[in-house]
Amino acid sequence: MLANSTLMAKQNLLFSDFSDPTKDSSSTDPLSFGELNTGTWWKNAHQHECTNDNDVLWPLIMFIDGMKVDNISGKLKLEPISFTFSRFKRFVRHQDNAWRTWAYMEEVKQPPPSRPVGEEDPILTAKERLQEYHDILNFLMKQLRKIQQHGMKWTLDFGANGMHDVVLKLPLQFIIGDCEGHDKLAGRFKGHTHNIKGLCRDCDIPTQFSDDENWVCSYFIQNEMEALTEEELRSYSFHKINNGLHGVSTGGSPRGIFGMLIPEMLHLYKSGHCDWQFDSFVYSMSGKCTEVTTQVCTSVST
């Protein structure tokens, strides 16, 4: 992608000053409000990663989600890991040619080598299955961690603004995926029933208080979570595993992997969340307001 002149055109990239890309820490252009380089993560990551004069922040975005590869049983699955660069503007990131496939994760079905000799039960426990998944993930991330240590030398060609010999720093900004996949990446228990104590993968709110709008949430900090015992992690509904994403740079964010596994909205939208919000709003009105609002909305939808 870096060598693709079409993708790397100036109009496709998030830079506030093409004459000196090393000085670009956070955009202040009001027209780009909401782009990935306008937030505090970008500014903090620039300070953390770009320690030399020719360093340029060049973060990665990943997409990880499973897919079925047979139309009969639906049991055969692959999980592609795709990536792009968050230096691309949003309209570019929406294009297929701005993404590349990193690898494919296969579903683990064999007992792990850690099983004691003589124990040949083919059924994996939830923790064993999760650890095998992260062992594969750890292997796939090995090269990325190595590149992140020193960056990657590259020449940025901005035409009339000159050519710049730089070192690209490639922290992982966030991962796109669904709730089930993100819970797996974080090492959280599978499911969200009342029997699971912890509700979220990013904060400490218990499931039993999920309807308490006054609950003050404390975000998980990666170093603190790694130091917890198996019993302490279980109280938050996490497994004690060797996470395959540990050691991957996330731009110096103390929340680490727990802050980059962003909520996904598509399934929430398809589950009727918007309908639920509208119904809650309408039902809180008086009888006359409810009648008028319903008539207006029915007329508009028709």
Side-chain angles (χ1 to χ4, degrees):
M1 286 190 290
L2 290 171
N4 187 316
S5 59
T6 301
L7 285 174
M8 293 293 290
K10 285 173 51 178
Q11 64 269 21
N12 294 341
L13 301 175
L14 293 169
F15 276 106
S16 56
D17 185 2
F18 286 95
S19 63
D20 190 356
T22 63
K23 302 303 181 184
D24 181 79
S25 60
S26 185
S27 173
T28 56
D29 182 0
L31 296 179
S32 66
F33 178 76
E35 269 288 12
L36 294 176
N37 65 333
T38 61
T40 56
W41 182 94
W42 192 281
K43 183 176 182 179
N44 294 335
H46 185 273
Q47 295 174 350
H48 180 267
E49 298 283 339
C50 300
T51 56
N52 298 314
D53 291 340
N54 62 336
D55 289 345
V56 172
L57 187 65
W58 202 271
L60 294 170
I61 302 170
M62 287 188 177
F63 176 86
I64 304 178
D65 194 11
M67 64 178 184
K68 297 177 182 179
V69 293
D70 73 299
N71 295 324
I72 300 176
S73 66
K75 294 182 179 180
L76 297 179
K77 298 179 181 179
L78 279 179
E79 192 163 314
I81 301 177
S82 304
F83 74 98
T84 190
F85 302 126
S86 55
R87 274 288 179 184
F88 291 144
K89 293 181 179 179
R90 183 177 300 161
F91 79 90
V92 180
R93 301 195 305 270
H94 287 177
Q95 300 174 21
D96 293 342
N97 66 336
W99 290 82
R100 297 292 184 273
T101 300
W102 186 294
Y104 289 94
M105 299 278 289
E106 284 193 86
E107 187 175 6
V108 179
K109 295 185 178 180
Q110 299 297 322
S114 58
R115 282 277 183 94
V117 177
E119 293 190 13
E120 299 180 353
D121 186 356
I123 300 177
L124 298 176
T125 65
K127 182 179 179 180
E128 286 175 335
R129 187 181 295 273
L130 184 63
Q131 184 59 70
E132 288 290 291
Y133 174 87
H134 278 273
D135 287 343
I136 298 172
L137 187 63
N138 178 62
F139 176 80
L140 296 176
M141 295 294 154
K142 183 177 180 180
Q143 188 177 20
L144 175 60
R145 286 192 290 264
K146 185 176 180 180
I147 294 174
Q148 287 180 334
Q149 289 179 1
H150 306 289
M152 185 170 65
K153 292 183 179 180
W154 195 257
T155 299
L156 295 174
D157 185 358
F158 291 149
N161 293 105
M163 300 178 68
H164 307 270
D165 293 325
V166 299
V167 176
L168 303 180
K169 308 306 286 284
L170 296 100
L172 181 56
Q173 188 166 1
F174 59 86
I175 297 177
I176 303 170
D178 61 12
C179 186
E180 180 182 353
H182 279 356
D183 285 347
K184 185 165 57 174
L185 289 171
R188 185 184 175 276
F189 290 1
K190 185 177 181 179
H192 294 83
T193 66
H194 290 291
N195 296 326
I196 296 180
K197 296 180 180 179
L199 179 68
C200 301
R201 62 181 167 272
D202 53 357
C203 76
D204 63 353
I205 180 172
T207 301
Q208 62 175 321
F209 295 112
S210 58
D211 61 345
D212 183 359
E213 68 273 14
N214 296 315
W215 179 271
V216 179
C217 180
S218 296
Y219 288 120
F220 291 136
I221 305 300
Q222 182 164 332
N223 290 340
E224 296 176 358
M225 293 293 284
E226 291 178 14
L228 296 180
T229 65
E230 186 166 0
E231 184 176 353
E232 289 171 330
L233 281 172
R234 193 181 298 116
S235 68
Y236 293 120
S237 300
F238 283 85
H239 292 286
K240 182 71 172 179
I241 60 170
N242 296 318
N243 194 298
L245 290 173
H246 287 176
V248 173
S249 172
T250 57
S253 170
R255 294 176 62 192
I257 60 173
F258 301 101
M260 70 178 184
L261 299 173
I262 60 175
E264 70 79 36
M265 300 299 294
L266 180 60
H267 291 169
L268 190 65
Y269 177 79
K270 288 187 174 181
S271 296
H273 186 71
C274 291
D275 293 338
W276 176 82
Q277 284 187 317
F278 175 76
D279 290 342
S280 299
F281 170 72
V282 171
Y283 293 152
S284 65
M285 298 179 177
S286 64
K288 184 63 177 177
C289 288
T290 300
E291 181 181 347
V292 173
T293 304
T294 303
Q295 289 177 352
V296 171
C297 290
T298 301
S299 176
V300 170
S301 63
T302 303

Short mmCIF file of all heavy atoms in Angstrom, two decimals, residues 3-58:
data_model
loop_
_atom_site.label_atom_id
_atom_site.label_comp_id
_atom_site.label_asym_id
_atom_site.label_seq_id
_atom_site.Cartn_x
_atom_site.Cartn_y
_atom_site.Cartn_z
N ALA A 3 3.60 1.67 -1.44
CA ALA A 3 4.16 1.88 -2.78
C ALA A 3 3.10 2.17 -3.83
O ALA A 3 3.43 2.38 -5.00
CB ALA A 3 4.96 0.64 -3.18
N ASN A 4 1.84 2.20 -3.42
CA ASN A 4 0.74 2.45 -4.34
C ASN A 4 0.53 3.96 -4.47
O ASN A 4 0.05 4.62 -3.54
CB ASN A 4 -0.53 1.78 -3.82
CG ASN A 4 -1.68 1.84 -4.80
OD1 ASN A 4 -1.94 2.88 -5.40
ND2 ASN A 4 -2.37 0.73 -4.97
N SER A 5 0.91 4.52 -5.62
CA SER A 5 0.85 5.97 -5.81
C SER A 5 -0.57 6.51 -5.77
O SER A 5 -0.80 7.67 -5.41
CB SER A 5 1.53 6.36 -7.14
OG SER A 5 0.89 5.71 -8.23
N THR A 6 -1.54 5.67 -6.14
CA THR A 6 -2.94 6.11 -6.11
C THR A 6 -3.41 6.29 -4.67
O THR A 6 -4.02 7.30 -4.31
CB THR A 6 -3.84 5.10 -6.83
OG1 THR A 6 -3.41 4.96 -8.18
CG2 THR A 6 -5.29 5.56 -6.81
N LEU A 7 -3.11 5.31 -3.83
CA LEU A 7 -3.51 5.40 -2.43
C LEU A 7 -2.74 6.49 -1.69
O LEU A 7 -3.28 7.17 -0.82
CB LEU A 7 -3.30 4.05 -1.73
CG LEU A 7 -4.29 2.95 -2.03
CD1 LEU A 7 -3.86 1.64 -1.39
CD2 LEU A 7 -5.70 3.32 -1.55
N MET A 8 -1.46 6.63 -2.01
CA MET A 8 -0.59 7.55 -1.27
C MET A 8 -0.63 8.98 -1.82
O MET A 8 0.24 9.78 -1.50
CB MET A 8 0.84 7.01 -1.30
CG MET A 8 1.02 5.72 -0.52
SD MET A 8 0.80 5.93 1.26
CE MET A 8 2.26 6.89 1.64
N ALA A 9 -1.62 9.29 -2.63
CA ALA A 9 -1.77 10.66 -3.12
C ALA A 9 -2.07 11.61 -1.97
O ALA A 9 -2.71 11.24 -0.98
CB ALA A 9 -2.90 10.72 -4.16
N LYS A 10 -1.62 12.85 -2.08
CA LYS A 10 -1.76 13.82 -0.99
C LYS A 10 -3.21 14.01 -0.54
O LYS A 10 -3.49 14.12 0.65
CB LYS A 10 -1.19 15.17 -1.43
CG LYS A 10 0.31 15.25 -1.45
CD LYS A 10 0.79 16.56 -2.07
CE LYS A 10 0.15 17.76 -1.45
NZ LYS A 10 0.66 19.04 -2.02
N GLN A 11 -4.12 13.99 -1.50
CA GLN A 11 -5.52 14.23 -1.15
C GLN A 11 -6.13 13.09 -0.34
O GLN A 11 -7.23 13.22 0.20
CB GLN A 11 -6.37 14.48 -2.40
CG GLN A 11 -6.46 13.31 -3.36
CD GLN A 11 -5.38 13.31 -4.42
OE1 GLN A 11 -4.33 13.94 -4.23
NE2 GLN A 11 -5.62 12.64 -5.53
N ASN A 12 -5.42 11.96 -0.25
CA ASN A 12 -5.93 10.80 0.49
C ASN A 12 -5.38 10.71 1.91
O ASN A 12 -5.83 9.86 2.69
CB ASN A 12 -5.58 9.51 -0.24
CG ASN A 12 -6.27 9.38 -1.57
OD1 ASN A 12 -7.27 10.06 -1.83
ND2 ASN A 12 -5.75 8.52 -2.43
N LEU A 13 -4.41 11.57 2.25
CA LEU A 13 -3.68 11.42 3.51
C LEU A 13 -4.02 12.50 4.51
O LEU A 13 -4.29 13.66 4.14
CB LEU A 13 -2.18 11.41 3.24
CG LEU A 13 -1.66 10.31 2.31
CD1 LEU A 13 -0.17 10.52 2.04
CD2 LEU A 13 -1.91 8.94 2.91
N LEU A 14 -3.96 12.14 5.80
CA LEU A 14 -4.24 13.07 6.88
C LEU A 14 -2.93 13.71 7.34
O LEU A 14 -2.23 13.19 8.20
CB LEU A 14 -4.90 12.34 8.06
CG LEU A 14 -6.31 11.80 7.81
CD1 LEU A 14 -6.73 10.87 8.94
CD2 LEU A 14 -7.30 12.95 7.67
N PHE A 15 -2.59 14.84 6.73
CA PHE A 15 -1.43 15.62 7.12
C PHE A 15 -1.82 17.09 7.13
O PHE A 15 -2.48 17.57 6.21
CB PHE A 15 -0.26 15.43 6.14
CG PHE A 15 0.58 14.22 6.41
CD1 PHE A 15 0.48 13.10 5.60
CD2 PHE A 15 1.47 14.19 7.48
CE1 PHE A 15 1.26 11.98 5.84
CE2 PHE A 15 2.25 13.07 7.73
CZ PHE A 15 2.15 11.96 6.91
N SER A 16 -1.41 17.80 8.16
CA SER A 16 -1.68 19.24 8.21
C SER A 16 -0.59 20.03 7.52
O SER A 16 -0.81 21.17 7.11
CB SER A 16 -1.82 19.71 9.66
OG SER A 16 -0.66 19.37 10.40
N ASP A 17 0.61 19.44 7.37
CA ASP A 17 1.72 20.15 6.73
C ASP A 17 2.54 19.14 5.92
O ASP A 17 3.34 18.39 6.47
CB ASP A 17 2.60 20.83 7.78
CG ASP A 17 3.71 21.68 7.16
OD1 ASP A 17 3.76 21.75 5.92
OD2 ASP A 17 4.50 22.26 7.93
N PHE A 18 2.33 19.12 4.62
CA PHE A 18 3.04 18.16 3.77
C PHE A 18 4.51 18.55 3.56
O PHE A 18 5.30 17.72 3.15
CB PHE A 18 2.35 18.04 2.41
CG PHE A 18 1.07 17.28 2.46
CD1 PHE A 18 -0.15 17.93 2.59
CD2 PHE A 18 1.06 15.89 2.38
CE1 PHE A 18 -1.33 17.22 2.64
CE2 PHE A 18 -0.12 15.18 2.43
CZ PHE A 18 -1.33 15.84 2.57
N SER A 19 4.86 19.78 3.86
CA SER A 19 6.25 20.19 3.70
C SER A 19 7.13 19.65 4.81
O SER A 19 8.35 19.55 4.65
CB SER A 19 6.36 21.72 3.64
OG SER A 19 5.91 22.29 4.86
N ASP A 20 6.52 19.31 5.95
CA ASP A 20 7.28 18.72 7.07
C ASP A 20 6.37 17.74 7.82
O ASP A 20 5.76 18.10 8.82
CB ASP A 20 7.79 19.81 8.01
CG ASP A 20 8.77 19.26 9.04
OD1 ASP A 20 8.99 18.03 9.05
OD2 ASP A 20 9.31 20.05 9.82
N PRO A 21 6.27 16.50 7.34
CA PRO A 21 5.36 15.53 7.95
C PRO A 21 5.71 15.15 9.37
O PRO A 21 4.87 14.66 10.11
CB PRO A 21 5.46 14.31 7.01
CG PRO A 21 6.78 14.46 6.33
CD PRO A 21 7.00 15.93 6.19
N THR A 22 6.97 15.39 9.78
CA THR A 22 7.37 15.00 11.14
C THR A 22 6.76 15.91 12.21
O THR A 22 6.74 15.55 13.38
CB THR A 22 8.90 15.03 11.28
OG1 THR A 22 9.36 16.38 11.08
CG2 THR A 22 9.55 14.12 10.26
N LYS A 23 6.27 17.07 11.81
CA LYS A 23 5.70 18.02 12.79
C LYS A 23 4.20 17.82 12.97
O LYS A 23 3.57 18.53 13.74
CB LYS A 23 5.98 19.46 12.35
CG LYS A 23 7.45 19.78 12.17
CD LYS A 23 8.26 19.52 13.43
CE LYS A 23 9.73 19.88 13.22
NZ LYS A 23 10.54 19.55 14.42
N ASP A 24 3.63 16.88 12.27
CA ASP A 24 2.18 16.68 12.31
C ASP A 24 1.81 15.77 13.47
O ASP A 24 1.93 14.56 13.41
CB ASP A 24 1.72 16.05 10.99
CG ASP A 24 0.22 15.84 10.96
OD1 ASP A 24 -0.49 16.81 10.72
OD2 ASP A 24 -0.22 14.70 11.20
N SER A 25 1.34 16.35 14.59
CA SER A 25 0.96 15.55 15.75
C SER A 25 -0.55 15.42 15.89
O SER A 25 -1.05 14.37 16.22
CB SER A 25 1.53 16.16 17.03
OG SER A 25 1.04 17.48 17.21
N SER A 26 -1.28 16.48 15.63
CA SER A 26 -2.73 16.43 15.73
C SER A 26 -3.33 17.55 14.90
O SER A 26 -2.90 18.70 14.99
CB SER A 26 -3.18 16.57 17.18
OG SER A 26 -4.57 16.40 17.29
N SER A 27 -4.30 17.21 14.08
CA SER A 27 -4.88 18.20 13.17
C SER A 27 -5.77 19.18 13.91
O SER A 27 -6.51 18.81 14.82
CB SER A 27 -5.68 17.48 12.08
OG SER A 27 -6.37 18.41 11.29
N THR A 28 -5.69 20.43 13.52
CA THR A 28 -6.58 21.45 14.07
C THR A 28 -7.52 22.00 12.99
O THR A 28 -8.19 22.99 13.20
CB THR A 28 -5.77 22.62 14.66
OG1 THR A 28 -4.89 23.15 13.65
CG2 THR A 28 -4.92 22.14 15.84
N ASP A 29 -7.52 21.36 11.85
CA ASP A 29 -8.38 21.78 10.74
C ASP A 29 -9.83 21.48 11.09
O ASP A 29 -10.21 20.33 11.28
CB ASP A 29 -7.97 21.03 9.47
CG ASP A 29 -8.81 21.46 8.26
OD1 ASP A 29 -9.68 22.33 8.44
OD2 ASP A 29 -8.59 20.91 7.18
N PRO A 30 -10.70 22.51 11.21
CA PRO A 30 -12.10 22.27 11.60
C PRO A 30 -12.85 21.41 10.59
O PRO A 30 -13.83 20.77 10.93
CB PRO A 30 -12.70 23.67 11.70
CG PRO A 30 -11.80 24.52 10.84
CD PRO A 30 -10.43 23.94 10.98
N LEU A 31 -12.39 21.40 9.33
CA LEU A 31 -13.07 20.61 8.31
C LEU A 31 -12.82 19.11 8.50
O LEU A 31 -13.55 18.29 7.96
CB LEU A 31 -12.61 21.05 6.92
CG LEU A 31 -12.95 22.49 6.53
CD1 LEU A 31 -12.39 22.80 5.14
CD2 LEU A 31 -14.45 22.72 6.55
N SER A 32 -11.78 18.77 9.25
CA SER A 32 -11.47 17.35 9.46
C SER A 32 -11.90 16.87 10.84
O SER A 32 -11.45 15.85 11.31
CB SER A 32 -9.96 17.12 9.29
OG SER A 32 -9.24 17.79 10.32
N PHE A 33 -12.75 17.65 11.50
CA PHE A 33 -13.23 17.26 12.83
C PHE A 33 -13.85 15.87 12.80
O PHE A 33 -14.69 15.56 11.96
CB PHE A 33 -14.28 18.26 13.34
CG PHE A 33 -14.84 17.88 14.68
CD1 PHE A 33 -14.12 18.08 15.83
CD2 PHE A 33 -16.09 17.30 14.78
CE1 PHE A 33 -14.63 17.73 17.07
CE2 PHE A 33 -16.62 16.94 16.01
CZ PHE A 33 -15.88 17.16 17.16
N GLY A 34 -13.42 15.02 13.70
CA GLY A 34 -13.94 13.67 13.75
C GLY A 34 -13.06 12.66 13.05
O GLY A 34 -13.28 11.47 13.18
N GLU A 35 -12.04 13.11 12.29
CA GLU A 35 -11.10 12.16 11.71
C GLU A 35 -10.20 11.59 12.80
O GLU A 35 -10.13 12.11 13.92
CB GLU A 35 -10.26 12.84 10.61
CG GLU A 35 -10.88 12.74 9.22
CD GLU A 35 -10.81 11.34 8.62
OE1 GLU A 35 -10.50 10.37 9.34
OE2 GLU A 35 -11.10 11.22 7.42
N LEU A 36 -9.46 10.53 12.44
CA LEU A 36 -8.70 9.80 13.44
C LEU A 36 -7.52 10.57 14.00
O LEU A 36 -6.98 10.21 15.05
CB LEU A 36 -8.21 8.48 12.84
CG LEU A 36 -9.32 7.49 12.47
CD1 LEU A 36 -8.74 6.26 11.80
CD2 LEU A 36 -10.11 7.08 13.70
N ASN A 37 -7.09 11.63 13.31
CA ASN A 37 -5.95 12.39 13.81
C ASN A 37 -6.37 13.64 14.59
O ASN A 37 -5.56 14.54 14.81
CB ASN A 37 -5.04 12.80 12.64
CG ASN A 37 -5.71 13.78 11.68
OD1 ASN A 37 -6.93 13.79 11.56
ND2 ASN A 37 -4.92 14.58 10.99
N THR A 38 -7.63 13.73 14.99
CA THR A 38 -8.10 14.90 15.72
C THR A 38 -8.32 14.62 17.20
O THR A 38 -8.71 15.53 17.93
CB THR A 38 -9.44 15.41 15.12
OG1 THR A 38 -10.42 14.37 15.24
CG2 THR A 38 -9.27 15.79 13.66
N GLY A 39 -8.07 13.40 17.64
CA GLY A 39 -8.35 13.05 19.03
C GLY A 39 -7.11 13.06 19.91
O GLY A 39 -5.98 13.23 19.46
N THR A 40 -7.33 12.85 21.21
CA THR A 40 -6.22 12.85 22.17
C THR A 40 -5.32 11.63 21.99
O THR A 40 -4.12 11.70 22.28
CB THR A 40 -6.76 12.87 23.61
OG1 THR A 40 -7.66 11.77 23.80
CG2 THR A 40 -7.50 14.17 23.89
N TRP A 41 -5.88 10.50 21.51
CA TRP A 41 -5.03 9.32 21.31
C TRP A 41 -3.91 9.65 20.34
O TRP A 41 -2.75 9.30 20.56
CB TRP A 41 -5.84 8.14 20.76
CG TRP A 41 -4.99 6.90 20.59
CD1 TRP A 41 -4.83 5.90 21.49
CD2 TRP A 41 -4.17 6.57 19.45
NE1 TRP A 41 -3.95 4.95 21.00
CE2 TRP A 41 -3.53 5.35 19.75
CE3 TRP A 41 -3.91 7.19 18.23
CZ2 TRP A 41 -2.65 4.73 18.87
CZ3 TRP A 41 -3.02 6.57 17.35
CH2 TRP A 41 -2.40 5.35 17.66
N TRP A 42 -4.24 10.33 19.26
CA TRP A 42 -3.25 10.65 18.22
C TRP A 42 -2.14 11.54 18.79
O TRP A 42 -0.95 11.29 18.57
CB TRP A 42 -3.94 11.33 17.05
CG TRP A 42 -3.08 11.45 15.82
CD1 TRP A 42 -2.10 12.36 15.58
CD2 TRP A 42 -3.14 10.61 14.65
NE1 TRP A 42 -1.55 12.15 14.35
CE2 TRP A 42 -2.16 11.08 13.76
CE3 TRP A 42 -3.93 9.52 14.29
CZ2 TRP A 42 -1.94 10.51 12.51
CZ3 TRP A 42 -3.72 8.94 13.04
CH2 TRP A 42 -2.74 9.43 12.17
N LYS A 43 -2.53 12.56 19.53
CA LYS A 43 -1.56 13.48 20.10
C LYS A 43 -0.64 12.76 21.08
O LYS A 43 0.59 12.94 21.05
CB LYS A 43 -2.28 14.64 20.78
CG LYS A 43 -1.35 15.70 21.34
CD LYS A 43 -2.14 16.86 21.93
CE LYS A 43 -1.21 17.94 22.46
NZ LYS A 43 -1.98 19.09 23.02
N ASN A 44 -1.23 11.96 21.96
CA ASN A 44 -0.43 11.23 22.95
C ASN A 44 0.47 10.18 22.29
O ASN A 44 1.61 9.98 22.70
CB ASN A 44 -1.34 10.56 23.97
CG ASN A 44 -2.10 11.56 24.81
OD1 ASN A 44 -1.66 12.71 24.99
ND2 ASN A 44 -3.25 11.17 25.34
N ALA A 45 -0.05 9.52 21.25
CA ALA A 45 0.74 8.51 20.54
C ALA A 45 1.92 9.16 19.83
O ALA A 45 3.02 8.58 19.78
CB ALA A 45 -0.13 7.76 19.55
N HIS A 46 1.72 10.36 19.28
CA HIS A 46 2.81 11.07 18.62
C HIS A 46 3.92 11.37 19.61
O HIS A 46 5.12 11.19 19.32
CB HIS A 46 2.28 12.36 18.00
CG HIS A 46 3.29 13.11 17.19
ND1 HIS A 46 4.16 14.02 17.75
CD2 HIS A 46 3.60 13.07 15.86
CE1 HIS A 46 4.95 14.51 16.81
NE2 HIS A 46 4.63 13.96 15.65
N GLN A 47 3.56 11.82 20.80
CA GLN A 47 4.56 12.12 21.83
C GLN A 47 5.29 10.85 22.30
O GLN A 47 6.48 10.88 22.59
CB GLN A 47 3.90 12.82 23.01
CG GLN A 47 3.32 14.18 22.68
CD GLN A 47 2.55 14.79 23.82
OE1 GLN A 47 2.27 14.14 24.83
NE2 GLN A 47 2.18 16.06 23.68
N HIS A 48 4.56 9.75 22.35
CA HIS A 48 5.14 8.49 22.85
C HIS A 48 6.01 7.82 21.80
O HIS A 48 7.07 7.27 22.13
CB HIS A 48 4.00 7.56 23.27
CG HIS A 48 4.48 6.25 23.81
ND1 HIS A 48 4.62 5.12 23.00
CD2 HIS A 48 4.84 5.86 25.06
CE1 HIS A 48 5.05 4.11 23.73
NE2 HIS A 48 5.18 4.53 24.97
N GLU A 49 5.58 7.82 20.54
CA GLU A 49 6.25 7.05 19.50
C GLU A 49 7.33 7.83 18.76
O GLU A 49 8.36 7.27 18.39
CB GLU A 49 5.20 6.56 18.48
CG GLU A 49 4.14 5.63 19.05
CD GLU A 49 4.66 4.22 19.26
OE1 GLU A 49 5.66 3.85 18.63
OE2 GLU A 49 4.04 3.50 20.06
N CYS A 50 7.08 9.11 18.51
CA CYS A 50 7.98 9.89 17.65
C CYS A 50 9.02 10.61 18.51
O CYS A 50 8.88 11.80 18.85
CB CYS A 50 7.17 10.88 16.83
SG CYS A 50 5.96 10.08 15.75
N THR A 51 10.08 9.89 18.84
CA THR A 51 11.12 10.41 19.74
C THR A 51 12.32 10.96 18.97
O THR A 51 13.16 11.63 19.57
CB THR A 51 11.57 9.31 20.70
OG1 THR A 51 12.01 8.16 19.93
CG2 THR A 51 10.43 8.88 21.61
N ASN A 52 12.42 10.67 17.68
CA ASN A 52 13.51 11.18 16.86
C ASN A 52 12.98 12.18 15.84
O ASN A 52 11.79 12.22 15.54
CB ASN A 52 14.22 10.03 16.13
CG ASN A 52 14.86 9.05 17.09
OD1 ASN A 52 15.52 9.45 18.06
ND2 ASN A 52 14.64 7.76 16.86
N ASP A 53 13.89 12.99 15.28
CA ASP A 53 13.49 14.10 14.42
C ASP A 53 12.77 13.65 13.15
O ASP A 53 11.93 14.37 12.62
CB ASP A 53 14.72 14.93 14.03
CG ASP A 53 15.29 15.69 15.21
OD1 ASP A 53 14.55 15.88 16.20
OD2 ASP A 53 16.47 16.09 15.15
N ASN A 54 13.11 12.46 12.64
CA ASN A 54 12.51 12.01 11.37
C ASN A 54 11.43 10.96 11.56
O ASN A 54 11.03 10.29 10.60
CB ASN A 54 13.60 11.48 10.43
CG ASN A 54 14.32 10.28 11.01
OD1 ASN A 54 14.36 10.09 12.23
ND2 ASN A 54 14.91 9.47 10.14
N ASP A 55 10.93 10.79 12.78
CA ASP A 55 9.85 9.83 13.04
C ASP A 55 8.51 10.41 12.60
O ASP A 55 8.22 11.59 12.83
CB ASP A 55 9.77 9.49 14.53
CG ASP A 55 10.94 8.62 14.99
OD1 ASP A 55 11.63 8.07 14.12
OD2 ASP A 55 11.15 8.50 16.20
N VAL A 56 7.70 9.57 11.99
CA VAL A 56 6.34 9.96 11.57
C VAL A 56 5.36 8.92 12.08
O VAL A 56 5.54 7.71 11.87
CB VAL A 56 6.23 10.08 10.04
CG1 VAL A 56 4.77 10.28 9.62
CG2 VAL A 56 7.08 11.23 9.53
N LEU A 57 4.32 9.38 12.77
CA LEU A 57 3.29 8.47 13.28
C LEU A 57 2.48 7.91 12.11
O LEU A 57 1.95 8.67 11.30
CB LEU A 57 2.38 9.22 14.25
CG LEU A 57 1.36 8.37 15.01
CD1 LEU A 57 2.05 7.37 15.94
CD2 LEU A 57 0.41 9.27 15.82
N TRP A 58 2.39 6.58 12.05
CA TRP A 58 1.68 5.92 10.94
C TRP A 58 0.89 4.74 11.51
O TRP A 58 1.23 3.58 11.29
CB TRP A 58 2.70 5.45 9.89
CG TRP A 58 2.10 5.25 8.53
CD1 TRP A 58 1.54 4.12 8.04
CD2 TRP A 58 2.01 6.23 7.49
NE1 TRP A 58 1.07 4.32 6.76
CE2 TRP A 58 1.36 5.61 6.40
CE3 TRP A 58 2.40 7.56 7.38
CZ2 TRP A 58 1.11 6.29 5.21
CZ3 TRP A 58 2.16 8.23 6.20
CH2 TRP A 58 1.52 7.59 5.13
#
